[in-house]
Amino acid sequence: MTLLLAVARPASLAALLATFAVSASAAQQTTPPRPGTPANRDGATRRPARVDQARAESLYVSTDPEDHPPRNFERDIAAKAKTDSIYAVHSRGVMEFSKVKYRSRAGDVDVPAYLFAPLVKRGTRGHAAMVWVHGGVHGDWNEAMLPFVKEAVQRGYVIITPDYRGSNGYGAAYYNAIDYGGKELDDVMAAYDYLKTLSYVDPDRVGIMGWSHGGFITAHLVMREETPFKAGAAIVPVTNLVFRLSYKGPNYQRSYATEPGIGGLPFEKPDEYIKRSPLYQVEKLNVPILVHVATNDLDVNYVEDQQLVWKLRALKPELAETKIYVDPPTWGSSGGHAFSRRVDPNTLERVDSPEQIDSWNRTWVFFEWWLRPYLDKSKATTTSR
């Protein structure tokens, strides 16, 4: 009998397995389920779960905007005023600094932004410019970026840094207007519109750069069939919200599910989260992008960022310049997440590591190639390469 089974034709073996399956199914049906016992999708019964109330509460994620994580708005407003004063003091004699406002492309809010420019300006269309985008689910542009802004201006750039909706420092209404991957993109895109109103900015030489969530916005705005940006740099960027919310869990999810523009978790609003994730927009990329990530990133973990890096390398190798930094020196509680933003909080000077120097050198060269900040188009004798 063993020999016959071993050499049985596939059809005979399939028939034998089917017989066993029918017998097993019949055996299951001989034991009637207890009243009130829930059934799985295949009809099989399962043991009633004993609800752990504490665990249930820890996993609960509301979709009510009233349950959006709270904030000390008075403290944030005071911190923002301090940041503004620090930039004003440190800019004197170094670069021109002002705080401006412009209307979002969404048409519903005025967006505050920091504007930095050389003290001595070139003529019409004389300067390349960049939009720099801060990170954080709720973050804001802060003084820790001061040394990098100074370097950019010294290289001839005009820099605008929008505090898009959801940013800290502007009160409850602005904070709760957060629309992650939604209208905040309109807020940042309108920074380009503002730059176009400055006669000394060349609208054909504008780039965009961001860190973490700012890298997420940067990737979104260059991964469009039409974009005004000449090039973009996304450093340790958020890439895939479908994956990210699952990986980070309920505490993180609560900052998304309560947003009016989202109103749920990825399994409830899959199309919305896919639309809001740069990973699924890579096919639209048609301008150069630079992406730097770290393997020891504890915020945007490498397991998330590698998805974007690999997809860019596979689909857009002619446009994507990517580098994976292996366990760079850490900074702060997020491990390698701030590996290229190591700044002393007291002196506001760079605390360089070899990886920070390398990342910024590559970034400056990348933008110099595509934006040509040394070029003064206001001079008729200037020729471009």
Side-chain angles (χ1 to χ4, degrees), residues 7 30 35-36 43 68-69 77 98 104 116 130 183 196 209 224 228 233 235 237 245 272 294-295 301 306 332 355 362:
V7 299
T30 58
H68 194 69
I77 291 171
S98 60
S104 170
F116 306 93
M130 281 195 275
K183 290 181 180 179
K196 287 200 303 181
M209 182 175 180
R224 292 183 168 187
I235 312 302
L245 267 68
E272 195 66 40
T295 59
N301 305 82
Q306 69 183 357
E355 290 82 355
R362 289 173 183 271

Side-chain angles (χ1 to χ4, degrees), residues 16 22 39-40 129 150 176 217 219 257 325 327 343 352 359 366 385:
L16 183 60
V22 170
N40 294 328
K150 288 167 59 177
N176 288 320
I217 291 177
Y325 289 87
D327 295 343
V343 173
D352 276 329
S359 178
F366 172 81
R385 61 165 178 254

